[in-house]
Amino acid sequence: MPIEIRQDLRNEQSLTLTPQLKRSLEILQAPTLELSKMVEQELKTNPMLEEIDPSEYDSAQSIGDNDYDDNSEETSQSGMQDAETLQKSKDFFLNSIPDKISLQEHLLETAAMDAENAKVAGAFASLAGSLDERGFLLPDAVERAISEGFDKDTVGAALNLLKNCDPPGIGASNMRESLMIQLERKGMGDSLAYKIIECHFDLLMKRKVANIAEAEAKSASDVESAILEISKLKTSPASGFDEEHARYVLPDILYRRDDNGDYQAELSKEYIPKLKINSDYRRMMAEGKLSSSDESYVREKIRDGKNFMDAIEQRQKTLLRIAQSILERQRQFFEAGLSALKPMTMQDVATELGLHATTIGRAIAEKYAETPFGTFPLKFFFAGGYESKDGESVASSSVKNRIKEIVGAESSKSPLSDAKIASMLAEEGISVARRTVAKYREELGIAPKNLRRRF
């Protein structure tokens, strides 16, 4: 059969990320501490860039000065301090803060150290990428790993390694298995608590103490003690991981009251050095003291340095505009706290600022804001919500916080059901379905009613 060869002419539109645009996106997404490290690396690799001495802040001319300058009083005080002492203090601060790692990074680090070979490590990475937000393995995780080319024995070894990782219970297929793993890790694999979960889980969920006691030939008090031990376990093993493994959070945005009592949004700029182009190279170029090859190199590095400073300036301006928009839309939160948080989407802010929603998402990624009620990730302010009886909207974050408050105030002898919590929220003017309460409760790491009961 003859092979037909032909040419087709087609017009296609595609977006190619240039190195400069890619670098700008990296800088936009970088938290303050990471950006500080990026600046330090750029200073090492680009001889045309140099850091402005803190004592020169008043007189130095640099791209982005308006975004970096402190107020005059603070600047004059910092200018009087010894620059070398300030630099040593900053270096010590940055170098003494370990990186904050995600659950995925933590698990992959474990695999890198403990996997018996590269194939097991690869299968482990596949499984770790198939965990839901609670830390449970998705139903098709094993099949997916096998479809990626790993044999059953390799996937089995990776799964066993995953289930032996911290936090205990991670990688289980469901809550029952997770609770059993947690007890095993505590050396309680032969305990009554373990036996109850293994053989009488349905009775446990209904808290049928008498039935469990009869089946195990134990007293009701023994069963109650075992259930108390079970209630100390995590129903969502991944919950709280970020809090437990967070090393340090440096706010990118500071919300503070001014002299008139109004809140203002400020950028946290203390650990982002000011940059300028090296004046010696500028002078050498102006005086024609460089060879053509050297001048070409210097021009390229100056262009790279200016692009880098432009990207930082743009990042700062975008972040500040978003922070100001949050302040305007969430005024009641800054006055009254979590209960006053309003629904707000990235598209709302994007439309207001004339940006794309993905730009907002990149800009707020891993960024934090210091508020009168604590330090929160900027993503905290973006959430859907519910209509209250007075016509006001309530953010889902506020609903979660209210559920946490309700459970915290309940009687341990008579804990509240999800339906009752939904009813209480309805009385407060917030219409939320029982299944939504259950979902939020699980996301908060709060055990079901039957496991919260005490006698």
Side-chain angles (χ1 to χ4, degrees):
M1 181 177 180
I3 299 175
E4 181 183 358
I5 300 176
R6 66 181 184 180
Q7 291 182 330
D8 291 324
L9 184 63
R10 291 181 297 175
N11 289 326
E12 291 185 353
Q13 286 187 332
S14 62
L15 178 63
T16 302
L17 286 181
T18 64
Q20 181 180 341
L21 180 55
K22 184 178 180 181
R23 185 68 162 165
S24 295
L25 291 177
E26 290 174 351
I27 290 172
L28 177 64
Q29 294 178 173
T32 295
L33 288 178
E34 185 178 329
L35 180 58
S36 298
K37 293 177 182 178
M38 292 172 69
V39 171
E40 290 181 359
Q41 181 62 27
E42 196 72 17
L43 286 168
K44 292 178 182 177
T45 58
N46 190 339
M48 301 306 122
L49 281 178
E50 61 182 11
E51 183 177 352
I52 300 175
D53 190 296
S55 63
E56 301 174 3
Y57 278 3
D58 281 337
S59 58
Q61 296 296 319
S62 167
I63 295 179
D65 274 355
N66 291 337
D67 284 330
Y68 290 97
D69 281 343
D70 294 323
N71 62 52
S72 58
E73 181 180 354
E74 291 177 337
T75 303
S76 62
Q77 290 176 351
S78 65
M80 296 171 62
Q81 299 181 43
D82 181 74
E84 183 178 355
T85 302
L86 287 174
Q87 182 63 41
K88 287 181 178 179
S89 174
K90 185 187 73 175
D91 289 344
F92 174 79
F93 175 83
L94 293 174
N95 295 331
S96 65
I97 301 173
D99 291 333
K100 176 182 176 181
I101 62 174
S102 68
L103 176 58
Q104 294 286 335
E105 292 169 331
H106 163 71
L107 292 174
L108 293 178
E109 284 182 5
T110 301
M113 294 186 292
D114 297 340
E116 56 188 82
N117 55 52
K119 287 186 177 180
V120 172
F124 182 99
S126 175
L127 295 176
S130 297
L131 296 174
D132 66 17
E133 60 186 12
R134 301 177 63 189
F136 296 152
L137 205 61
L138 297 175
D140 63 344
V142 171
E143 289 76 8
R144 184 183 302 175
I146 293 175
S147 70
E148 293 173 2
F150 301 103
D151 60 70
K152 290 184 178 180
D153 290 341
T154 298
V155 175
L159 182 57
N160 183 62
L161 177 59
L162 178 61
K163 291 182 179 180
N164 280 281
C165 286
D166 288 324
I170 207 77
S173 57
N174 51 45
M175 183 175 72
R176 175 174 173 271
E177 184 185 5
S178 176
L179 296 175
M180 291 169 65
I181 292 173
Q182 291 177 59
L183 287 176
E184 287 176 340
R185 296 282 290 277
K186 294 174 71 174
M188 298 177 64
D190 295 325
S191 66
L192 176 59
Y194 187 93
K195 190 70 176 292
I196 290 173
I197 297 173
E198 182 182 31
C199 302
H200 312 292
F201 191 69
D202 289 341
L203 294 176
L204 172 65
M205 289 295 96
K206 298 176 182 178
R207 205 180 180 95
K208 300 290 186 179
V209 175
N211 299 55
I212 296 173
E214 181 180 358
E216 291 298 320
K218 299 289 185 180
S219 67
S221 61
D222 288 338
V223 174
E224 287 291 352
S225 297
I227 294 177
L228 176 61
E229 196 64 44
I230 293 171
S231 70
K232 298 176 183 177
L233 306 176
K234 287 187 175 181
T235 56
S236 298
S239 67
F241 177 86
D242 288 341
E243 290 78 3
E244 293 169 6
H245 289 74
R247 310 294 199 262
Y248 188 86
V249 170
L250 180 66
D252 302 85
I253 300 296
L254 308 175
Y255 287 107
R256 293 174 174 169
R257 288 187 185 273
D258 59 21
D259 294 338
N260 297 322
D262 297 324
Y263 278 103
Q264 302 294 333
E266 304 173 7
L267 290 168
S268 174
K269 303 162 291 189
E270 185 174 359
Y271 297 102
I272 302 180
K274 277 189 173 184
L275 302 177
K276 66 178 181 180
I277 301 298
N278 188 294
S279 56
D280 292 335
Y281 284 102
R282 285 179 180 272
R283 184 172 61 255
M284 292 170 67
M285 285 183 59
E287 295 174 357
K289 294 183 177 181
L290 299 174
S291 66
S292 60
S293 60
D294 287 343
E295 182 175 340
S296 176
Y297 171 80
V298 169
R299 286 187 182 280
E300 178 184 354
K301 288 298 182 180
I302 287 178
R303 183 172 63 251
D304 290 344
K306 286 184 176 179
N307 288 339
F308 185 73
M309 291 190 292
D310 284 344
I312 293 179
E313 178 190 18
Q314 188 61 40
R315 175 217 191 250
Q316 297 294 79
K317 286 182 176 179
T318 300
L319 194 56
L320 184 58
R321 290 179 69 201
I322 293 171
Q324 291 169 337
S325 178
I326 290 173
L327 178 60
E328 288 301 317
R329 290 173 174 272
Q330 300 287 3
R331 284 279 179 189
Q332 294 183 17
F333 163 82
F334 291 95
E335 297 294 341
L338 294 173
S339 61
L341 198 66
K342 301 296 181 184
M344 182 176 70
T345 67
M346 293 183 193
Q347 187 59 56
D348 293 336
V349 175
T351 301
E352 176 188 336
L353 302 182
L355 300 172
H356 198 280
T358 56
T359 301
I360 305 298
R362 289 190 178 103
I364 67 173
E366 297 186 61
K367 309 295 195 309
Y368 291 80
E370 182 181 295
T371 77
F373 304 98
T375 298
F376 299 94
L378 285 182
K379 284 187 177 180
F380 164 80
F381 296 100
F382 295 86
Y386 301 88
E387 191 82 10
S388 65
K389 63 182 179 182
D390 57 4
E392 293 289 327
S393 296
V394 181
S396 55
S397 301
S398 298
V399 176
K400 286 184 182 181
N401 185 67
R402 184 64 188 122
I403 291 172
K404 189 175 182 179
E405 292 174 346
I406 290 173
V407 172
E410 72 184 5
S411 167
S412 60
K413 293 183 179 181
S414 181
L416 303 169
S417 66
D418 295 335
K420 178 60 178 176
I421 295 174
S423 175
M424 293 175 67
L425 290 172
E427 291 175 1
E428 297 176 7
I430 305 170
S431 180
V432 181
R434 180 204 59 78
R435 60 181 178 275
T436 303
V437 171
K439 174 187 173 184
Y440 287 171
R441 174 180 54 72
E442 290 177 357
E443 291 177 358
L444 291 167
I446 298 174
K449 167 190 173 182
N450 295 327
L451 293 184
R452 302 200 306 271
R453 185 180 298 162
R454 305 284 189 274
F455 287 99

